[in-house]
């Protein structure tokens, strides 16, 4: 059965952990979907992982729609949430609702995610009022990397921790159905989780959150440009791919691939007439 905002509300109410991974293409989404995961995020991390940018700033609406629609085609049961890219919702509330609508209509999302706390509460309210589920994202918000001055843990001193709590309450009040907490000390994330009636989804925020999300290429060991402390490698798919590609190159050079079983036959009488 297709997972939805109800899955998130039920997970929080029953104390059952919610599971999320990112995906950016049809085949990966189909594979992840088959595990019974609750939701797949088409994160703007696709800028780093798929497109090779050093940050998420250059990711466009067209990128998100193109990859989002591919994931939506592969996700039969998981809720699909598509990230709103940088400057698709910060410019005006009108832009926010129009672009959220495009991710739903053209990207076939089941919900959208956007970064920020009190400052985006107005945009969240309008998008939610349009019938679009919104997942919020606070703590380390990579689209603001130039203001943060680097990928750092957030909410460490009293003022910053109080601001994080204020942001969490503001996005809940605005109607977000869940909130991602990124790079937040575990005790603070647990406190935020206890204060909210909507679920918290942690990434680098410890085990006290209502659910977890990771970038799939990180947890598969496929992306090595930068691996944050919170990433656990659940597999070494990168090594397996390198080994497979090396073996392919060698076999093609040696002529052992393709073998008889990989080729198509033709009647000898037909081929002889062509000589
Ligand atoms: O873009 C992304 O992948 C994200 C997750 C890291 C939460 O926002």
């Amino acid at each position: 059965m297709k997972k939805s905002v109800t899955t998130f509300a039920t997970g929080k109410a029953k104390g059952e952990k919610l599971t999320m991974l990112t995906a950016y293409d049809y085949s990966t989404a189909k594979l992840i979907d088959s595990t019974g995961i609750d939701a797949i995020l088409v994160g703007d991390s696709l800028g780093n992982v798929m497109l090779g940018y050093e940050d998420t700033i250059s990711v466009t609406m067209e990128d998100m729609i193109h990859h989002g629609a591919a994931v939506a085609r592969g996700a039969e049961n998981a809720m699909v949430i598509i990230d709103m890219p940088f400057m698709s919702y910060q410019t005006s509330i009108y832009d926010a609702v129009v672009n959220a609508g495009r991710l739903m209509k053209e990207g076939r999302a089941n919900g959208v995610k956007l970064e920020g706390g009190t400052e985006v509460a107005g945009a969240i309210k309008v998008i939610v009022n349009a019938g679009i589920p919104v997942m919020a994202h606070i703590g380390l918000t990579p689209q603001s990397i130039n203001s943060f001055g680097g990928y750092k843990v957030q909410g460490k001193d009293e003022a910053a921790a109080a601001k994080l709590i204020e942001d969490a309450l503001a996005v809940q009040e605005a109607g977000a159905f869940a909130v991602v907490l990124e790079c937040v000390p575990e005790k603070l994330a647990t406190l935020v989780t206890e204060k909210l009636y909507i679920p918290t989804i942690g990434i680098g925020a410890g085990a006290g959150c209502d659910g977890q999300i990771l970038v799939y290429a990180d947890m598969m060991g496929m992306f090595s440009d930068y691996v944050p402390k919170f990433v656990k490698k659940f597999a070494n798919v990168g090594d397996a791919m390198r080994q497979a590609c090396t073996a392919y190159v060698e076999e093609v050079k040696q002529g052992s691939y393709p073998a008889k079983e990989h080729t198509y036959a033709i009647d000898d009488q037909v081929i002889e007439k062509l000589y």
Side-chain angles (χ1 to χ4, degrees), residues 88 95 173 230:
S88 68
D95 286 349
E173 174 66 24
F230 58 77

Side-chain angles (χ1 to χ4, degrees), residues 22 41 43-45 83 113 137 180 203 215:
T22 66
L41 173 71
D44 62 353
S45 51
D83 256 348
K113 177 166 83 56
H137 182 161
V180 169
I203 175 162
V215 170

